[in-house]
Amino acid sequence: MVDKTLSDLSWDDFDEARDPRSPANDFDAVVDAAISRRGFLGGVLAFGSGATVFGSGLFGSAGTASAAAHAFPFTPIGIATDFEVHVPEGYSWKPLVRWGDPLFSEAKGAYSAENGVSVEMSDKVFGENTDGMELFNIDGREILAINSEYVNPKINLPAASDGVPQSADEVTLLKNLQGVTVLEVADQGNGYEVVVDSPYNRRITHETQMTMDGPAGMSPLGTMNNCGSGTTLWGTYLTCEENFNGYFGATGATEASLEAGYTRYGIGGEGRYAYEKFDPRYDISAEPNEPHRHGWVTEIDPSDPTSAPVKHTALGRFKHENAEMVQAADGRIVVYMGDDERGEFIYKYVSDASWSEGQRTNGLLSNGTLYVAKFYENMTGEWLALTPQTTGMSIEDILIFSRMAGSRVWATTMDRPEWIACNPLKAEGYCALTNNRNRGVKPNAGGDDTSVNGPNPRETNHYGQIVRWTPAGGDHGATDFQWDLYVMAGNPEVYTNEYGGSANINAGNMFNSPDGMAFDSKGMLWIQTDGDDDNAEYFAGMGNNQMLVGNAETGEIVRFMTAPNGSEVTGLTWSSDRKVAFVGVQHPGGSWPDGAGKPRSAVISVWRDDGQTVG
Ligand code: FEO
Ligand code: CA
Ligand code: CA
């Protein structure tokens, strides 16, 4: 019998069900160690700019949001607890594309509030649960590539019992509503709208034929659980396969030799969506290697709707959040990537070859070295190369089982690395460490110690933080870096200790669980949240999930947008003229944005009423 609650769980809870905490273990003793470490936190924050500008104390509400608000071209807004979107005065928004909206004429009217969309139309409409996205200007046309991370079966299967698929057709419907949508948008005088039937419009699903390059190449079909995104310097889209493990289940015995890899990646037992009951591809007792074909960074050329996406094995296999590409001083390609699971790692890929505009791009994402981050307590760190020499593993195993390779070199266990963003104005990387209920509580799935450490300084971390690194010599190709915490989220209304947050957190800008991040062209860091929005207890006063803007220099953070209750804000890009921001609202509650029937995840347009740029 299918456990009908599995698809209702958050991905974090799903992971926990796969790897439950033992009733008591040595990690319970870490609380004492954490207390003795608190003196160290002063060092963390003193290194950062936030505390020195705002802090008269290390924690609590020493700073005020208004002190330097003139640096932001809007008046920060308060929290919200309703089922609406709110933006600052002088700004407006409207939906750009909602789950179920047509990409092609034949799908017009395909969506109904009562029935959702049919299986026949499910790959001709915008997918559900919008996530990472990027905009490409191709021959003067505005083309968006947008991830649809996963589905809410109870919303998509109106006639089915409790959101559990009952047929292969229903599985196909759910699969088709995930993946990637490429679509053209245009402003014909009424704000941006989807260009139905544009030759660029395309859906990429679990079934799309792919190729795979790099040392661990295989013949894959499809992409799934596409979370964050990135762009290459040559104008293609990077989509990142995150919680792929949840799609696979076992209906019978599994291969013992693969068990360690399954365990580290949370694969086994019942799948989250029962796909394995109707499609043997998702049944690891029938197709033991299918999970190894997912969990990659996949490149899509939005200019060519007939092109086969390419999975780049050289960038490693894990729960990829996003992929932030920059260039080393000598022209080599650098891609920063986070693995979003409790106690997993931050990675960096560096190409062997250098590149400059106009040169061939072949091999840049298949011939290179994968590194994993080690953060030291003295605020320095280094990127540790994952090679056969350093890990004792074959190059194929390093790439397919990157987590295990990272453990072999004692990489630093992190509080769920989400998006990484690099400052366009100076060599800096930022990673949102969203939260980690298991910090100081139990090891990660590979058995690595997750006691509190420098960039992850709070046990049972409900709030999250953003770590920042500056590569040696201002060169993203360097293997050494210095780090600090840009912000520790927290609640200074509830706590006067480190759970109150760093000094750039106050009652006016509180948030929890930073997740999506992007720098705008002016060097401002936009921060999106995917946290607890019940506005109670630890989270009292934080309201719904939100999007904030951070000043990288001063540390000041102010609130720009609030999203409907129940939703997370994820995915951010801009029109080519920067006058419109496109923002994703995933898994809303209520009946947003239609006001009737089902809630629909959607991308919205946000603009300034005076026509000036938004970032
Ligand atoms: Fe899909 Fe880690 O967010
Ligand atoms: Ca995310
Ligand atoms: Ca998240």
Side-chain angles (χ1 to χ4, degrees):
M1 182 67 192
V2 172
D3 179 351
K4 291 185 179 181
T5 65
L6 280 180
S7 71
D8 290 334
L9 299 177
S10 72
W11 286 104
D12 195 39
D13 288 337
F14 183 80
D15 290 339
E16 186 63 20
R18 284 281 172 279
D19 182 27
R21 178 188 180 187
S22 53
N25 60 44
D26 291 346
F27 285 79
D28 292 327
V30 85
V31 172
D32 292 341
I35 288 169
S36 70
R37 285 180 41 79
R38 282 177 189 154
F40 175 70
L41 290 169
V44 171
L45 295 171
F47 186 84
S49 52
T52 53
V53 170
F54 294 104
S56 57
L58 291 176
F59 308 114
S61 54
T64 62
S66 59
H70 62 274
F72 300 95
F74 58 87
T75 303
I77 65 172
I79 63 164
T81 57
D82 60 10
F83 291 93
E84 299 294 336
V85 165
H86 297 279
V87 293
E89 198 176 332
Y91 288 75
S92 299
W93 70 275
K94 73 170 190 175
L96 173 74
V97 60
R98 303 160 296 186
W99 155 56
D101 281 344
L103 304 178
F104 306 99
S105 295
E106 62 188 300
K108 281 186 176 170
Y111 172 87
S112 74
E114 191 181 358
N115 297 316
V117 295
S118 65
V119 63
E120 291 76 21
M121 288 295 136
S122 56
D123 60 353
K124 299 173 179 64
V125 297
F126 184 56
E128 212 205 346
N129 281 336
T130 187
D131 208 316
M133 64 181 145
E134 309 287 346
L135 182 132
F136 303 88
N137 189 280
I138 299 171
D139 295 332
R141 299 164 79 156
E142 299 279 84
I143 313 298
L144 280 167
I146 310 173
N147 291 341
S148 283
E149 187 178 29
Y150 65 97
V151 286
N152 295 312
K154 285 181 180 172
I155 292 176
N156 286 283
L157 300 175
S161 58
D162 212 16
V164 179
Q166 304 295 312
S167 68
D169 262 5
E170 290 186 346
V171 168
T172 300
L173 169 72
L174 298 183
K175 282 159 52 177
N176 283 351
L177 292 172
Q178 305 160 42
V180 179
T181 302
V182 181
L183 55 83
E184 183 176 358
V185 296
D187 183 354
Q188 313 274 10
N190 194 30
Y192 276 98
E193 295 175 336
V194 175
V195 179
V196 174
D197 293 327
S198 163
Y200 293 101
N201 292 359
R202 179 183 190 186
R203 282 299 314 282
I204 295 163
T205 70
H206 282 232
E207 304 296 335
T208 304
Q209 184 65 54
M210 311 257 151
T211 63
M212 215 163 195
D213 72 4
M218 291 172 269
S219 298
L221 204 61
T223 186
M224 62 181 69
N225 214 98
N226 306 80
C227 181
S229 58
T231 53
T232 63
L233 298 169
W234 44 92
T236 57
Y237 184 64
L238 298 175
T239 185
C240 301
E241 300 170 359
E242 191 190 22
N243 292 302
F244 65 94
N245 60 313
Y247 298 88
F248 299 97
T251 63
T254 57
E255 212 171 296
S257 66
L258 298 176
E259 210 51 53
Y262 287 157
T263 299
R264 183 62 187 270
Y265 285 81
I267 294 161
E270 281 184 328
R272 184 176 165 94
Y273 300 106
Y275 289 2
E276 74 275 13
K277 305 276 199 303
F278 300 99
D279 187 341
R281 179 181 164 199
Y282 300 87
D283 179 359
I284 59 171
S285 6
E287 289 284 350
N289 277 309
E290 185 63 12
H292 303 140
R293 301 184 180 109
H294 303 279
W296 303 102
V297 173
T298 298
E299 183 180 5
I300 295 169
D301 181 357
S303 74
D304 180 2
T306 67
S307 58
V310 184
K311 297 196 177 202
H312 291 298
T313 65
L315 277 60
R317 172 175 165 270
F318 41 91
K319 291 188 179 183
H320 279 284
E321 182 70 21
N322 83 322
E324 178 75 336
M325 183 181 287
V326 290
Q327 222 166 356
D330 61 6
R332 287 175 297 158
I333 297 299
V334 176
V335 186
Y336 289 113
M337 302 169 285
D339 180 358
D340 179 8
E341 190 163 332
R342 291 154 302 171
E344 291 299 341
F345 311 134
I346 295 175
Y347 297 81
K348 165 171 108 159
Y349 167 85
V350 183
S351 66
D352 290 341
S354 300
W355 179 81
S356 60
E357 195 161 351
Q359 291 185 328
R360 287 164 60 89
T361 59
N362 295 24
L364 289 175
L365 296 182
S366 48
N367 300 314
T369 303
L370 189 63
Y371 296 82
V372 68
K374 181 76 180 178
F375 293 81
Y376 298 111
E377 304 289 302
N378 66 356
M379 324 286 307
T380 68
E382 71 182 305
W383 295 100
L384 305 173
L386 298 175
T387 68
Q389 291 71 33
T390 63
T391 64
M393 297 166 68
S394 69
I395 190 64
E396 293 82 2
D397 280 353
I398 288 169
L399 299 176
I400 298 172
F401 304 107
S402 305
R403 288 179 168 181
M404 296 155 103
S407 292
R408 295 255 179 129
V409 300
W410 306 102
T412 301
T413 61
M414 308 300 288
D415 287 346
R416 296 186 54 201
E418 300 253 25
W419 287 64
I420 294 173
C422 288
N423 190 335
L425 304 184
K426 62 199 286 194
E428 280 181 345
Y430 292 68
C431 182
L433 302 168
T434 195
N435 58 55
N436 184 356
R437 71 170 89 170
N438 288 339
R439 174 62 60 188
V441 174
K442 68 170 196 173
N444 70 10
D448 298 330
D449 183 349
T450 66
S451 303
V452 289
N453 61 43
N456 307 278
R458 294 177 294 186
E459 72 265 24
T460 319
N461 174 12
H462 297 297
Y463 296 126
Q465 64 271 10
I466 296 174
V467 65
R468 164 171 60 187
W469 58 90
T470 302
D475 177 5
H476 283 295
T479 52
D480 296 326
F481 59 87
Q482 289 191 295
W483 65 269
D484 70 342
L485 291 181
Y486 174 69
V487 64
M488 282 203 303
N491 194 327
E493 301 285 282
V494 174
Y495 292 105
T496 54
N497 60 13
E498 67 267 38
Y499 294 93
S502 50
N504 50 345
I505 290 297
N506 56 68
N509 70 359
M510 284 192 289
F511 63 92
N512 71 88
S513 304
D515 186 338
M517 289 197 303
F519 270 97
D520 68 20
S521 61
K522 296 164 184 148
M524 289 291 172
L525 178 62
W526 296 63
I527 303 163
Q528 302 174 318
T529 73
D530 170 22
D532 190 305
D533 66 355
D534 66 8
N535 200 37
E537 298 182 20
Y538 302 140
F539 308 105
M542 294 182 174
N544 293 347
N545 279 298
Q546 50 190 288
M547 182 161 72
L548 308 105
V549 186
N551 185 318
E553 296 301 321
T554 68
E556 189 187 14
I557 297 169
V558 295
R559 187 179 296 114
F560 178 85
M561 174 183 147
T562 59
N565 190 261
S567 70
E568 69 175 274
V569 189
T570 184
L572 172 65
T573 189
W574 288 268
S575 59
S576 294
D577 63 8
R578 294 270 165 180
K579 291 185 176 177
V580 178
F582 300 110
V583 185
V585 176
Q586 191 193 84
H587 61 79
S591 56
W592 186 88
D594 297 353
K598 303 174 189 298
R600 300 171 77 181
S601 59
V603 175
I604 65 171
S605 302
V606 181
W607 65 92
R608 266 177 77 151
D609 297 333
D610 64 8
Q612 294 198 49
T613 59
V614 188

